[in-house]
Amino acid sequence: MFNHSYKSDLAERHVQFNKRLPFFYYFFAVMFVILFGGLFWHQVIEQPAYLKSEKQQAHRRIIQPGSRGNILDRNGKLLVGNRARFSAIVYLDRLRQEFKKDYYQKVNALRKVKKQLFIDMPVSHAIDILGMPDDITKTEMAEGNVRSTLKFSNYLTLKANNNIVTQIRSDNDKIIWQSRIDVIKKHMATMKKIIGRDVKLERKNVIRHFDQKLLLPLPLVTDLSPEEYAALIEQVPVDSPVQIFTDSSRYYPYGPAAAHSIGYVISDYNEAEEGSPGQDLKTFKMKGKKGKTGLENSFDDLLNGKTGLEIWLVDPMGFQYKMLTKQAPSQGSELVTSLDIDLQLTAEKAMHNKIGAVVAMDVNSGEVLVLASAPNYNLNSLTPYIPQTVYDKIEGKGAWLNRATQGLYPPGSTFKLVTAIAGLKNDIIQTDTHHDCHGQLWGMACWNYRGHGPISLIDSLSQSCNVYYYQLGIDTGVDNISYEAKKFGMGAPTGIELPYETNRMLVPGPEWKNKRGLGKWKRGDTANLSIGQGYLLVTPLQMACFAASLARNETITQPTLIHDPYNRPRNHGGEKIGVTLEQYHALIQGMKNATKTGTAKRLAIPGIEIAAKTGTSQVRAKGQKLTLAWTIAFAPVDNPQIAIAVMVEGTDPNEHLGGGKHAAPIAKAVMSKYFERYPVMTKPKL
């Protein structure tokens, strides 16, 4: 019979509720909510962040520099351009299969060798199999034990204890790198047969390229000659991993001409354009050019081309897989300078191995027509890089210095014009004032030791009488002379568009001398200043600006190396000199007479009326007393077009240079060429 009590117990147990179950229901419900919430957060909310991270890991950017813009002279002649520079390169991703093949060959060969080796074998037997090791390291241990490490050229390293092998190990990293290098060397050997050039590959350069520039081409042979380029183009298969890479290098048609003004470039990395894509990606940069000196430096942003870029999808090894974005680079802008290359060549030829500077400029616009510094250097020898031998040669002859803008010199008698202006403006002299020159004054000599006798202002300028200006300087006073010199801009840089113009030019005075601890300002200091000697220091560019200012009867000329095609007269920011018209004409007459009967006769040009002032000054260099020859001038007098300053440095303490003999002929050569090219303009009628 059926047991009813048993049935009742079972029903009772079935309907009894377990109070712990709801806890588990809620717990698992919460866990599922957290799980799905986490999935939603990671897959939906954080999706952009993951996509960005994936992009950064899988995308690479390559920056390609644009070629630099051309530099022209005022007449459109090319001063600086670009020449094609060819290199044999290899893209490493195209060698991957060769790397693998060579690697497996080395590994298989190594396995065969390792099968012949075993632990506890004598080291001598291992050497019989492997050959002599490349390196052996022995360590003396306790109780006479000797532990050795033997490294073999086939990437094996054996460790031994008392000449019994205890460990056999192979270096897989070395096999990988050696395979890469051997494959690259194989292609280099092929190139050597084609071009006949002995090329070398350094292991450290290959490793560095793999680590830092994997997506960029690896240079094998740079700066191919035209013959080498033609041979490679003809004999290297189209599908070869070795390709010809075309780059650009600066080219200077006139070699050393205007080297200090034009300047040179160095290799450098150009930055991507602002706002270009992929700025958050790992970036590889190809080297471009950066202006180091001269106009190349001052107008680097203008001349630099717009950079291009490529964005690549890369595989897990970091090699190119697929190009996603490409923006081609573009050439930089053109720069038209104020220089006239024909005048520049004339000036440099006239210098003829002399040391010094020549600056010529348009009187009205301040445009610099000539800016020559000698000695100079051939700009083509500095590109694409500066060999150490070239650098040392330039350094040895002092050619890095731009003497026109960085050289500091006492201007000698050319400064007498400033002293005369200071005397006239302060009513110390009039146009008819005479002084009696007996060849010396207060123990200070005139260049004409016999003396000039009674001499006027006009004749003191044309004959460059020192005694006249000793007396005039003492009577006028140092403060008045210094004030006028500074008004002409002699105490500060001109602001020309060239880097590294010196700011150490000096118009001295009592306060300056006292601060320098040089003692009290004396009468002799004023006398020296009045003839452009003593502590006074200027640059040839400043004296050219002074000549141009004097030609316009103004105090300031702002020089520029940029050509205005309309050649408009500029407001230079100065003022009238401040002398009367009669006094101004007297100054100019003295300069005119200098080219007719005075110290600047070698500057005279038939049919052209020229105002000039010569000068000679003394300097001490390397313990020797040397002389400097100066000439400043402008022409034509009735309607000035060109102003010039020439400075020639003496090199022999036994040689006495004179401005009229050594500097004036150079100025004449430049002015003659100028008026040959640019006809004399008549003064417009008012």
Side-chain angles (χ1 to χ4, degrees):
M1 293 183 62
F2 186 81
N3 189 334
H4 291 282
S5 62
Y6 173 78
K7 180 179 179 181
S8 175
D9 291 341
L10 185 62
E12 184 179 352
R13 280 181 291 174
H14 178 72
V15 298
Q16 186 177 5
F17 182 72
N18 191 332
K19 295 180 180 181
R20 291 178 294 180
L21 286 177
F23 170 78
F24 288 102
Y25 294 154
Y26 291 126
F27 174 78
F28 283 110
V30 170
M31 293 302 294
F32 276 116
V33 169
I34 293 174
L35 175 62
F36 284 108
L39 291 173
F40 179 82
W41 177 266
H42 288 298
Q43 295 187 11
V44 179
I45 304 299
E46 290 192 332
Q47 183 186 34
Y50 284 117
L51 291 175
K52 181 178 180 181
S53 177
E54 179 187 5
K55 179 181 176 182
Q56 290 175 337
Q57 292 179 21
H59 293 183
R60 299 289 184 269
R61 186 172 67 156
I62 299 175
I63 301 299
Q64 302 166 327
S67 58
R68 290 176 73 84
N70 295 332
I71 300 179
L72 310 176
D73 89 335
R74 64 189 301 108
N75 299 306
K77 293 184 177 180
L78 184 68
L79 300 181
V80 187
N82 299 304
R83 67 172 178 85
R85 181 171 178 256
F86 302 107
S87 302
I89 57 92
V90 63
Y91 285 98
L92 298 176
D93 66 305
R94 301 184 66 175
L95 296 177
R96 294 175 68 186
Q97 295 303 319
E98 294 185 52
F99 291 156
K100 288 181 180 179
K101 182 179 178 181
D102 190 88
Y103 169 77
Y104 287 129
Q105 288 176 349
K106 286 181 169 58
V107 169
N108 290 333
L110 186 60
R111 285 174 180 169
K112 292 179 181 179
V113 172
K114 288 178 71 174
K115 288 181 180 179
Q116 302 177 53
L117 305 175
F118 53 89
I119 303 299
D120 294 335
M121 72 183 301
V123 169
S124 58
H125 291 182
I127 291 177
D128 290 339
I129 297 170
L130 300 174
M132 290 300 297
D134 292 339
D135 182 65
I136 301 177
T137 303
K138 292 185 177 182
T139 306
E140 296 285 344
M141 306 299 293
E143 299 179 359
N145 291 333
V146 178
R147 291 183 180 176
S148 306
T149 301
L150 296 85
K151 295 182 179 180
F152 295 85
S153 59
N154 59 355
Y155 328 109
L156 278 176
T157 299
L158 303 184
K159 289 192 175 182
N161 190 0
N162 290 333
N163 290 321
I164 299 299
V165 174
T166 58
Q167 187 182 72
I168 303 170
R169 182 168 54 87
S170 58
D171 192 330
N172 192 60
D173 283 342
K174 283 188 177 181
I175 301 174
I176 292 173
W177 282 114
Q178 194 59 47
S179 294
R180 292 170 174 175
I181 291 171
D182 288 347
V183 168
I184 295 171
K185 283 185 175 180
K186 180 185 70 174
H187 289 287
M188 293 184 72
T190 301
M191 281 195 305
K192 180 180 178 181
K193 291 180 181 179
I194 296 174
I195 65 177
R197 191 197 296 193
D198 187 18
V199 289
K200 296 181 180 179
L201 184 70
E202 293 191 23
R203 182 187 185 92
K204 63 179 181 180
N205 293 339
V206 175
I207 295 174
R208 186 186 301 119
H209 194 91
F210 267 91
D211 290 342
Q212 302 176 9
K213 305 176 183 179
L214 184 59
L215 268 65
L216 302 183
L218 173 67
L220 301 180
V221 184
T222 59
D223 212 7
L224 295 167
S225 68
E227 295 77 15
E228 291 172 336
Y229 169 76
L232 286 174
I233 285 292
E234 181 180 353
Q235 299 183 48
V236 172
V238 176
D239 59 349
S240 170
V242 175
Q243 297 292 315
I244 303 300
F245 182 79
T246 304
D247 191 9
S248 66
S249 183
R250 282 312 234 178
Y251 166 62
Y252 307 91
Y254 298 96
H260 295 88
S261 300
I262 294 171
Y264 62 90
V265 298
I266 57 174
S267 294
D268 198 15
Y269 294 104
N270 299 128
E271 297 299 325
E273 298 293 321
E274 188 174 349
S276 61
Q279 295 191 12
D280 58 338
L281 301 179
K282 183 175 181 180
T283 299
F284 298 87
K285 298 178 182 179
M286 292 184 176
K287 276 194 173 181
K289 308 291 186 298
K290 178 182 178 181
K292 178 66 175 177
T293 62
L295 294 170
E296 291 273 28
N297 175 284
S298 299
F299 294 91
D300 189 58
D301 290 340
L302 176 74
L303 294 167
N304 247 339
K306 181 180 178 181
T307 56
L309 63 85
E310 295 176 357
I311 295 180
W312 284 82
L313 180 65
V314 299
D315 63 18
M317 294 293 292
F319 288 101
Q320 292 103 321
Y321 177 70
K322 180 182 179 182
M323 184 187 293
L324 303 176
T325 302
K326 182 176 177 63
Q327 294 180 358
S330 60
Q331 187 174 9
S333 300
E334 196 171 71
L335 178 65
V336 181
T337 73
S338 61
L339 296 172
D340 183 312
I341 191 59
D342 294 303
L343 293 180
Q344 181 79 27
L345 291 170
T346 299
E348 295 186 7
K349 181 180 179 181
M351 288 295 285
H352 189 60
N353 296 327
K354 295 181 177 69
I355 297 176
V358 181
V359 181
M361 62 174 56
D362 183 294
V363 167
N364 294 303
S365 68
E367 291 187 9
V368 175
L369 307 170
V370 174
L371 197 150
S373 176
N376 56 10
Y377 43 84
N378 192 330
L379 289 166
N380 287 310
S381 65
L382 309 184
T383 183
Y385 60 89
I386 306 176
Q388 188 63 46
T389 53
V390 172
Y391 181 92
D392 292 342
K393 183 178 180 181
I394 296 172
E395 178 79 12
K397 63 180 184 179
W400 289 122
L401 180 70
N402 184 348
R403 286 168 168 76
T405 63
Q406 298 172 317
L408 290 166
Y409 311 93
S413 294
T414 59
F415 190 78
K416 290 174 181 175
L417 288 159
V418 177
T419 305
I421 290 170
L424 290 168
K425 290 181 68 174
N426 289 278
D427 294 325
I428 305 300
I429 57 169
Q430 302 301 321
T431 55
D432 58 352
T433 299
H434 286 65
H435 285 302
D436 199 3
C437 172
H438 297 288
Q440 63 87 29
L441 182 67
W442 304 311
M444 295 178 292
C446 183
W447 70 266
N448 184 348
Y449 64 91
R450 294 189 181 90
H452 291 96
I455 191 167
S456 67
L457 171 64
I458 292 175
D459 289 341
S460 74
L461 289 171
S462 67
Q463 301 301 319
S464 199
C465 175
N466 287 349
V467 168
Y468 190 97
Y469 289 92
Y470 292 149
Q471 185 67 63
L472 176 57
I474 296 298
D475 294 342
T476 303
V478 58
D479 291 337
N480 290 326
I481 297 172
S482 296
Y483 175 77
E484 293 302 325
K486 290 177 180 178
K487 282 191 69 176
F488 280 108
M490 293 186 186
T494 66
I496 193 170
E497 306 96 339
L498 287 179
Y500 320 124
E501 180 184 12
T502 183
N503 61 1
R504 296 185 298 108
M505 52 278 296
L506 175 63
V507 177
E511 184 179 354
W512 170 86
K513 188 178 180 183
N514 185 54
K515 284 183 177 180
R516 291 293 298 270
L518 299 174
K520 186 178 179 180
W521 188 269
K522 299 179 181 178
R523 182 175 66 175
D525 293 325
T526 302
N528 266 333
L529 176 63
S530 69
I531 63 167
Q533 281 283 172
Y535 303 111
L536 180 65
L537 293 173
V538 297
T539 66
L541 175 61
Q542 285 182 305
M543 294 310 292
C545 291
F546 171 62
S549 299
L550 195 61
R552 297 192 320 274
N553 192 13
E554 295 180 358
T555 56
I556 294 294
T557 294
Q558 177 61 55
T560 178
L561 277 163
I562 304 305
H563 177 52
D564 177 359
Y566 303 103
N567 201 27
R568 292 182 289 256
R570 298 171 63 198
N571 179 3
H572 295 276
E575 58 189 46
K576 290 294 183 181
I577 291 175
V579 295
T580 67
L581 191 59
E582 178 188 3
Q583 292 170 338
Y584 178 73
H585 285 161
L587 294 171
I588 303 307
Q589 188 62 51
M591 296 177 71
K592 286 166 57 178
N593 290 354
T595 63
K596 295 177 180 178
T597 59
T599 58
K601 288 183 289 186
R602 287 183 172 87
L603 178 50
I605 300 173
I608 306 294
E609 198 167 40
I610 301 173
K613 183 72 192 78
T614 62
T616 299
S617 58
Q618 286 78 41
V619 293
R620 295 197 70 85
K622 298 180 180 180
Q624 296 180 320
K625 189 175 182 181
L626 304 173
T627 54
L628 308 174
W630 283 90
T631 292
I632 63 171
F634 63 84
V637 171
D638 62 344
N639 186 25
Q641 294 172 231
I642 180 175
I644 192 169
V646 178
M647 186 280 302
V648 179
E649 293 185 31
T651 57
D652 186 347
N654 298 315
E655 181 183 19
H656 183 82
L657 300 188
K661 181 179 180 181
H662 296 90
I666 298 172
K668 177 180 180 178
V670 175
M671 282 192 160
S672 297
K673 187 68 175 179
Y674 176 86
F675 289 113
E676 176 188 314
R677 291 177 52 75
Y678 304 98
V680 175
M681 294 185 294
T682 57
K683 191 172 184 178
K685 295 182 179 180
L686 301 177

